[in-house]
Amino acid sequence: MVKISDILWFKEIDRNALNLVGGKGLNLGLMYARSFPVPPGFVVTTEAYKRFLKETNIEEKVYSTLENLDVEDADALYNAAEKVQTLILNAKMPPSIRAQILEAYENLNVDLEVLRRASKQALDIIKAGRDKSFVAIRSSATAEDLGEFSFAGQQASFLNVKGDEDVITSVQKCWASLFTSRAVYYRVKNKFDHRNVFIAVVCQKMINSEKSGVVFTKNPSTGENEIIIEAVLGLGETIVSGSVTPDHYVVNPETMQIKVKKIEKQSFKLIRESNLGKNIKKNLGEEGSEQKLTNAEIIKLADICREIEEYYRKPQDIEFAVESGRIYIVQSRPVTTINKGKPLSTQKKEEDKIQEEIKEEKNKEVLLEGFGASPHIGFGKVKIIHGADELNKIETGDILVTEMTSPDFVPGMKRAVGIITDAGGSTSHAAIVSRELEIACVVGTEKATNILKDGDEVTVDGINGKVYAGILKLEEPKEEKFEISEDIDTVTKVKVNLDMPNMAKEASETNADGIGLLRAEFLLSRTKEHPGWMIRNGRKEQLINELVSGISEIAKYFKGKPIWYRTSDIRTDEYKDLQGGNEEPKEDNPMMGWHGIRRSLDEVEFLRAEFEAIKKVHDQGFTNVGVMLPMVISVEEVRKAKELLNEIGLEPLEEIEFGVMVETPAAVQTIDEICKEGVDFISFGSNDLTQFTLGIDRNNAKLQHLWSEMHPAVLREINHVIKVCRENNVETSICGQAGSNPEMVEFLVKK
């Protein structure tokens, strides 16, 4: 085979190849050349990437799209990044590059020297008896894993790739991932010229790990000169995800003696199922309680990793795998920081991701304390907002301060980097939306609007629930974003809650099993007019069109997966600032007032408009969109809604999935009758179910210490509903905040 620069085998890579193979490719090549046990592979070089851009005639389109881009404009950044990625993914791979990639992939299991010396006839015989390999396709940016700048985690990686077309597609996806909004933002902020940053792609044979884990050649918690090894049975994804607690071994690098062995019980492992081409979960018995690596494996692994550290002359963070008794080094990168006081698994995830270096400052002046509702840090100038009519005061980068947010605050919240409220708890509107927007939020401070003034510079600590004077650089958990390229089969399906169409694409990339809650309110608020007022003033069609536009925009990213649209649950105090909102009745307790299905059946033309919108969405081909009723307290409500849906032309349970929210004790007590009336599914609204069961206003900061979805009364209600639904073959789900609580998840899965 002729050596050309579009493809380089690991064996061909030397220290001068950085600009061709990127940081990850260089590290693997150097280790391979030093005879470290690295699985075989090759790199699709940056020259191939450059040729791809030129020969497909998209180079200037790519870079002109990014010229003069304001990366602080979130919508502009997202749209530009999506446009560039689409250009790359839709371009046809030039035949010469495609041929070289596939030739290398075909010959991955054959030694390079054998390939060079073998005759064509001999090669044909070798190929005929060999199956295609499972490979890992990983991006390798030209400034990645080199210590000074870390591009790791920004670009895509794909595991369990098999077959010619999947390999080519994955390579193009890696190239496209050079232009995610996050990567574009990072380069601009660090003054990297897009035209000078290139990307290579590593194609490496996958190890079907019987055991795997991570090694730190220096203790990252203390900096002490000792080798830390964490190991699990099966694939190493369980360490990264935190779903399994690994064995923990400590080795003295000077004497090669094992200092510490902490054996953890492992209940399951992930293994690759060759026929399915994806990972599956396998439960473990006594094997899970045994030591994962033998003493000999621990010593041998420590010795290999010590040699790697000596070669690079820097502490290393190393991934390993064991197959058929042989240890393989999958990846090695410098440990750029020595963290203190954090579990190794957490550090592992953090070091793999890109975040600004943040150092904690001392002597901070605490202005306010409340509840940390969204685990992020934000700092900027305060803007006091008393109503949605003042949202034009909010500029990008401001801190929004208000008594309490409502859905019509969302446009301003999107521009803010932090939210502070007087009232509210962890399940309030401000808390929920801030978590979705991934911005800092402190709720329930009681006096923020009195203490703070417009223009004050503050730092919002959404982790610890504190607001500090001035602009401080506080430490926050580093963002973990990665592309999921394989599914894990579980009996329990994992869906997402989604409200905003502009977040649908990113949500779909999690490989979620569907959308468990698509709230109407956020779509309705985009009109700037109160939906009730629109119906009363002859603007029903405009309302329907807005819903059709928003739902279909989301549904296109979740084709073939269930999407449960919850009909409107608009409280009378939430949309007063929209046009016509002043006509809303005043209620002493809106949380327990005129909203949900009770209001929809009173204002039946409003509900009819929603159902007509769903019918139009179905007519567009999105028949996976179902309907879910909120705040149900009686079978009669369910029956009337089904009758109306039938009138529109959609037969519940036959032509459309139909379900109800279980948010009230009344729904719990009548669940048997509701199931017999006929529903496909129910979904627990744990926030409201908890507040109505415990008699606690979830927006009352003074009562948050009493709030618990794990209260025995709530758990008994949930248990009862699940039991009845199972007897009636009705699917059960949860879409409230409790679904993020590991204790609740364990309880639900066991039930």
Side-chain angles (χ1 to χ4, degrees), residues 303-315:
D303 192 43
I304 292 170
C305 294
R306 180 184 61 178
E307 290 182 12
I308 293 174
E309 182 190 59
E310 289 175 354
Y311 176 68
Y312 284 112
R313 299 180 181 178
K314 289 181 179 179

Side-chain angles (χ1 to χ4, degrees), residues 244-263:
V244 166
T245 302
D247 277 10
H248 180 89
Y249 316 122
V250 181
V251 178
N252 185 326
E254 296 177 358
T255 64
M256 280 292 123
Q257 291 183 329
I258 302 172
K259 296 167 56 178
V260 176
K261 285 195 298 185
K262 185 177 181 183
I263 314 303

Side-chain angles (χ1 to χ4, degrees), residues 212 229-233 238-239 242-249 260-269 284-293 298 343-345:
S212 55
I229 300 172
E230 291 186 336
V232 295
L233 297 177
T238 53
I239 291 184
S243 58
V244 166
T245 302
D247 277 10
H248 180 89
Y249 316 122
V260 176
K261 285 195 298 185
K262 185 177 181 183
I263 314 303
E264 299 288 350
K265 184 175 181 180
Q266 184 174 340
S267 60
F268 73 93
K269 66 179 178 179
L284 295 171
E286 289 301 317
E287 179 188 10
S289 301
E290 298 173 358
Q291 184 174 317
K292 309 308 179 295
L293 297 181
I298 294 171
L344 292 181
S345 300

Side-chain angles (χ1 to χ4, degrees), residues 42-60:
F42 60 90
V43 178
V44 182
T45 68
T46 55
E47 287 301 308
Y49 165 72
K50 294 175 192 177
R51 275 215 302 132
F52 169 82
L53 294 182
K54 284 184 169 61
E55 294 183 17
T56 55
N57 297 314
I58 65 172
E59 183 176 27
E60 286 310 311

Side-chain angles (χ1 to χ4, degrees), residues 9 81 161 212 231 235 253 257 273 292 299 501 556 561 699:
W9 292 87
V161 179
S212 55
L235 300 174
Q257 291 183 329
E273 216 297 322
K292 309 308 179 295
I299 298 302
K556 69 182 181 182
K561 296 181 178 182
N699 284 334

Side-chain angles (χ1 to χ4, degrees), residues 185-248:
Y185 183 91
Y186 181 86
R187 288 198 293 274
V188 171
K189 285 300 184 181
N190 287 282
K191 296 182 171 53
F192 283 96
D193 186 338
H194 296 299
R195 293 177 182 266
N196 294 331
V197 176
F198 306 108
I199 188 167
V201 179
V202 173
C203 180
Q204 186 177 28
K205 182 181 177 183
M206 281 202 68
I207 300 304
N208 196 5
S209 309
E210 297 157 3
K211 309 172 186 180
S212 55
V214 295
V215 180
F216 295 91
T217 58
K218 288 285 187 294
N219 189 321
S221 298
T222 64
E224 187 175 347
N225 184 28
E226 57 187 12
I227 297 171
I228 307 298
I229 300 172
E230 291 186 336
V232 295
L233 297 177
L235 300 174
E237 283 89 331
T238 53
I239 291 184
V240 176
S241 67
S243 58
V244 166
T245 302
D247 277 10
H248 180 89

Side-chain angles (χ1 to χ4, degrees), residues 9 377 419 422 500 619 624 721 751:
W9 292 87
I377 304 295
I419 309 290
D422 291 345
M500 303 172 193
D619 291 343
N624 53 318
V721 171
K751 295 299 177 184

Side-chain angles (χ1 to χ4, degrees), residues 410-421:
V410 170
M413 297 173 76
K414 287 182 177 180
R415 296 192 294 273
V417 296
I419 309 290
I420 307 171
T421 68

